[in-house]
Amino acid sequence: MKNIQNFLAQVRSDLGDQWVDQRPETLVRYGEHTLPGQARAPSAVLFPESTAQVVAIVKAANEFGVALYPISTGNNIGLGSRAPARAGQVVVDLGYRMNRIREINEETCYAELEPGVSFQMLRDELRRRGDKLMVSATSGPPHGGIVGNAMDRGAGYGPYFDHFGMTCGMEVVLGNGEVIRTGDGSLDTESLVNWHVSKFSFGPALDGLFAQSNFGIVTRVGVWLMPRPPASRSFHFVFPDDEDLAEIIELCRPMKLSNFVPSLFRIANDLYAMAPDERNPEYLEGSRQSISGVARKALQGKHGLGAWQVSGMFYGASTAAIEPLVARVRGHFERSGKARYIGHDEALNIPALRIAIDSMSGEPSAGELGMLQWRPGSGNSWFLPGTPMVGSQAMELDRLGRSIYEKHGMDYIVMHVASARFARGLHVLVWNKDDRGENTRADACYRELTLEFSKRGIGVGRAPADYADLHMEQMMPSLRWACQAIKQALDPNGVISPGKYGIDLPGAE
């Protein structure tokens, strides 16, 4: 306790009293999350205004042996929100004051951002400047942080979907308090003209060390932006049966291998598509049953959707130029004999498909968040495995996931986001967090999914904070050792987010 008070006294002198918050209501709010585990309240929340203040915080943490937990905007819903990896860590809220768009370059199409810049903030600024450039939006919270999402390897749905891949040049405060810049930003010169356009510079590319790690605190990032095309048109196909997934995967793969379709494919099952606008009609508190097939069919009929919805988008010089592309993909899918086509104009009036259109058009939207109320109690976590773009393998994994959900009384809500060789499976767990039994079943369901998928060589792209250690345990000992060795080198006192992503110093608890 003495160390934390001495640390906070030092930080108050560096930041100012008003930017160090220990009010009980603040600590409660920053400890809350939607996962099955208990809340993890921090011991304090800090609000730095600059990289220099972050450096001061990190140096004080090293001096007094205090663990920090940096966040951007704290909208990581279903993965941990703002809560620290361990109770008592000091949250460093970068998003509250470090929220500047430092530059937008319309010639080479990039923005330099601080951690507090949200998808909505950047979208609004680009619109104000004439809508020449397009942000790659998620379908998650519009006020989610672009930098935090990229560092957690989140993704969008349009051509620039790879958010970490579209970063170029970072400023990072290491765990020892040193500041580095990656790429050509590390040149010992005042000129930084190449920093956010040339991805690799002399020597090792260090950027990847700071994605899904706890080796440093990213305070500035260059993000590549896509020129907004004059026209865009979506296309959608509805398939009637759960077993159609195998054929859907086979239909999508050649369209992406050739890059004929520039967006990713969103392959959403019935509940993923409809849950944002519905509540489970059969839900009874204490029930161990997942929704019935009869109820699912009734909802499909109500919304005019099917067991699977497939969405994609073309971009071009005009609507007329795009029409032949849509006609080609329509002919390709309709050869299956099962696909029902829904065009762009009709889809605009179908909420589930409008969400897909917005996300592929670079429009942040809160529509999908409605699924968190599919059951009462606001419990939510995400299981995010990969699926090979091979129909039989995807179908095997889908049956496995569906059976584990049913075993634990969870409703199977999933969307596969498909590229050429690989699809990310967004498996959503929604439950009543106020029901102790349901909370326990949600936890058991996630753990069984993790173990059964990993046995089959399927890992996850991101993981909720409650399960970081579980996922790290599935990795080879040599990888765990390498992560610890890097942690030791860059953060020798282990002050940045110990335990995050399952990484800590050797021998630490």
Side-chain angles (χ1 to χ4, degrees):
M1 182 60 69
K2 180 179 178 182
N3 278 2
I4 187 70
Q5 294 308 323
N6 290 339
F7 164 78
L8 293 176
Q10 176 64 53
V11 170
R12 283 190 177 94
S13 69
D14 294 324
L15 274 63
D17 285 344
Q18 70 269 40
W19 306 119
V20 178
D21 196 342
Q22 282 191 294
R23 291 174 297 173
E25 59 269 30
T26 299
L27 303 185
V28 168
R29 189 169 71 252
Y30 275 78
E32 294 172 338
H33 56 77
T34 63
L35 305 177
Q38 296 296 313
R40 295 185 294 275
S43 56
V45 182
L46 312 179
F47 303 96
E49 193 267 341
S50 65
T51 298
Q53 289 191 353
V54 174
V55 169
I57 291 168
V58 171
K59 288 185 174 180
N62 276 277
E63 180 180 354
F64 295 104
V66 170
L68 308 173
Y69 189 81
I71 63 170
S72 57
T73 64
N75 281 282
N76 213 12
I77 299 171
L79 295 169
S81 303
R82 292 173 290 196
R86 295 170 184 161
Q89 294 176 346
V90 173
V91 168
V92 182
D93 188 337
L94 302 167
Y96 192 76
R97 300 171 72 202
M98 296 179 67
N99 56 9
R100 291 170 285 260
I101 300 171
R102 301 180 68 99
E103 179 187 4
I104 292 179
N105 189 306
E106 294 182 353
E107 293 177 300
T108 46
C109 304
Y110 70 81
E112 183 180 288
L113 308 177
E114 292 183 339
V117 177
S118 69
F119 290 96
Q120 191 65 58
M121 288 171 63
L122 183 55
R123 174 68 188 104
D124 291 345
E125 178 61 17
L126 293 175
R127 183 184 286 116
R128 188 188 70 79
R129 290 169 174 251
D131 225 13
K132 299 173 186 176
L133 300 175
M134 178 173 151
V135 64
S136 174
T138 71
S139 52
H143 298 295
I146 295 174
V147 175
N149 181 268
M151 292 306 102
D152 212 27
R153 290 204 293 269
Y157 302 96
Y160 280 33
F161 68 90
D162 181 359
H163 290 171
F164 180 73
M166 292 297 162
T167 63
C168 183
M170 303 176 186
E171 180 179 76
V172 186
V173 180
L174 300 179
N176 61 9
E178 295 291 330
V179 178
I180 66 167
R181 291 175 177 169
T182 65
D184 277 1
S186 60
L187 288 169
D188 191 9
T189 177
E190 294 296 317
S191 175
L192 296 176
V193 295
N194 235 17
W195 190 18
H196 299 313
V197 296
S198 176
K199 201 166 181 67
F200 304 116
S201 188
F202 175 78
L206 300 181
D207 306 62
L209 287 176
F210 305 105
Q212 291 199 18
S213 77
N214 54 8
F215 304 143
I217 301 174
V218 177
T219 55
R220 270 200 282 175
V221 173
V223 175
W224 289 344
L225 303 173
M226 176 178 162
R228 182 170 288 280
S232 59
R233 300 287 284 180
S234 65
F235 57 84
H236 312 265
F237 301 97
V238 172
F239 286 77
D241 301 314
D242 294 340
E243 296 293 306
D244 291 334
L245 179 63
E247 186 170 17
I248 291 169
I249 294 293
E250 293 295 320
L251 288 165
C252 290
R253 187 179 65 244
M255 295 282 98
K256 285 303 301 175
L257 280 169
S258 63
N259 209 32
F260 177 72
V261 174
S263 71
L264 297 182
F265 283 104
R266 288 171 52 106
I267 308 169
N269 84 340
D270 50 3
L271 297 190
Y272 194 102
M274 296 180 291
D277 297 293
E278 292 285 352
R279 303 294 178 266
N280 182 335
E282 297 179 330
Y283 179 76
L284 293 173
E285 188 170 348
S287 170
R288 296 178 62 90
Q289 300 300 312
S290 52
I291 188 172
S292 69
V294 171
R296 286 176 55 209
K297 282 295 182 185
L299 288 173
Q300 291 172 21
K302 175 182 175 181
H303 289 266
L305 298 174
W308 296 101
Q309 301 27 260
V310 182
S311 299
M313 182 169 279
F314 287 108
Y315 312 84
S318 66
T319 298
I322 293 173
E323 284 176 355
L325 307 178
V326 174
R328 179 179 166 187
V329 79
R330 180 176 179 179
H332 175 74
F333 272 83
E334 287 183 338
R335 279 196 293 271
S336 71
K338 301 195 75 174
R340 174 168 61 86
Y341 172 70
I342 298 176
H344 178 84
D345 293 332
E346 182 183 354
L348 286 170
N349 297 312
I350 301 174
L353 303 184
R354 179 57 188 259
I355 290 171
I357 293 170
D358 286 343
S359 65
M360 292 183 289
S361 303
E363 298 293 339
S365 167
E368 216 162 77
L369 297 179
M371 73 171 62
L372 304 186
Q373 296 304 315
W374 169 252
R375 291 187 182 186
S378 301
N380 170 234
S381 64
W382 297 72
F383 176 65
L384 303 169
T387 297
M389 286 295 285
V390 177
S392 59
Q393 292 176 285
M395 196 69 247
E396 178 187 352
L397 292 171
D398 186 74
R399 293 188 189 114
L400 175 64
R402 197 179 294 270
S403 68
I404 293 172
Y405 269 68
E406 185 175 353
K407 173 182 174 181
H408 296 283
M410 298 287 111
D411 299 320
Y412 190 61
I413 303 173
V414 65
M415 179 169 72
H416 300 286
V417 186
S419 59
R421 299 168 181 83
F422 169 84
R424 176 66 63 203
L426 312 185
H427 294 67
V428 190
L429 284 161
V430 180
W431 71 94
N432 186 349
K433 193 172 166 72
D434 298 326
D435 182 319
R436 181 178 298 179
E438 204 164 320
N439 211 43
T440 299
R441 292 199 305 277
D443 177 67
C445 182
Y446 188 97
R447 292 178 182 278
E448 185 169 353
L449 288 165
T450 298
L451 295 175
E452 290 302 320
F453 273 66
S454 65
K455 286 178 186 177
R456 292 161 174 82
I458 305 295
V460 298
R462 303 167 73 185
D466 282 10
Y467 303 105
D469 288 338
L470 173 66
H471 286 287
M472 185 57 84
E473 287 167 5
Q474 311 309 308
M475 313 307 267
M476 295 176 64
S478 56
L479 178 72
R480 299 200 295 270
W481 172 85
C483 289
Q484 287 183 337
I486 297 169
K487 181 71 170 171
Q488 182 78 65
L490 301 183
D491 183 11
N493 293 315
V495 300
I496 298 179
S497 305
K500 189 176 185 182
Y501 301 110
I503 302 170
D504 209 340
L505 293 178
E509 294 184 1

